[in-house]
Amino acid sequence: MSQKVLLNHKEVTIILHRLACQLIENHLDFKNTILIGIQPRGTQLATRLKEILETEYQIKNIALGFLDITFFRDDFRRGEKSLEANKTKIDFLVEDKKVIFIDDVLYTGRSINAALSAIQSFGRPSEVELLVLIDRRFSRHLPIQPDYRGRQVDAINNEKVVVKWKETSGEDSVELITI
């Protein structure tokens, strides 16, 4: 097994600020926009982006929720190990709101497909966008593309992209691990 650092702390910080600026360009005051972190790994990115938008760019009252997609996945009963559900925390309606799904890595597109189904339980959004830190562009099983991407990575199937956050791993970084 080998590993290669794709992004270090400084590069992750730059990308997060660039993504925040792109969101501001398209959503200004976020009055009609909701950020939804996809459980489990998109929640840290969503939380971090909200924090940057509020502290660095003084945008207040950004709605942030977390969406568990476990039981909406098309591979829910296919694996040998049983999946464990996470918590959904959406304490607002998404009816006629602009929803931005946030996840760390876009791989096959199946998680986003599940999120599109799951969000319907909270209302019908007027628009849905996708923000990812890493886009593994040659691995898609479904025709899903991000509206905002931090970095595009060309990884083959025996390679895994691992995103580390300082809150959980002690550092911000993205690594490519060959299995």
Side-chain angles (χ1 to χ4, degrees), residues 6 134-139 151-155 161 174 176:
L6 296 176
I134 302 294
D135 176 12
R136 290 184 59 162
R137 69 178 173 162
F138 294 130
S139 306
R151 174 70 55 89
Q152 204 163 14
V153 174
D154 298 335
V161 176
V174 178
L176 182 66

Side-chain angles (χ1 to χ4, degrees), residues 144-167:
I144 292 174
Q145 300 300 322
D147 298 285
Y148 311 93
R149 79 173 50 90
R151 174 70 55 89
Q152 204 163 14
V153 174
D154 298 335
I156 55 178
N157 288 335
N158 67 336
E159 296 175 321
K160 182 174 182 163
V161 176
V162 177
V163 177
K164 294 181 178 180
W165 298 106
K166 66 181 175 186
E167 293 83 356

Side-chain angles (χ1 to χ4, degrees), residues 9-24 30 35 44-60 62 64 133 165-167 172:
H9 168 73
K10 183 177 181 181
E11 293 166 322
V12 169
T13 301
I14 291 168
I15 287 172
L16 291 177
H17 280 83
R18 179 174 47 81
L19 290 169
C21 288
Q22 289 174 346
L23 289 173
I24 292 168
F30 289 79
L35 304 180
Q44 192 62 50
L45 176 57
T47 302
R48 190 73 79 75
L49 283 169
K50 180 182 180 193
E51 181 181 300
I52 290 170
L53 290 166
E54 289 180 341
T55 59
E56 303 285 326
Y57 301 101
Q58 284 71 51
I59 299 171
K60 301 298 178 205
I62 298 173
L64 172 64
L133 184 63
W165 298 106
K166 66 181 175 186
E167 293 83 356
D172 290 339

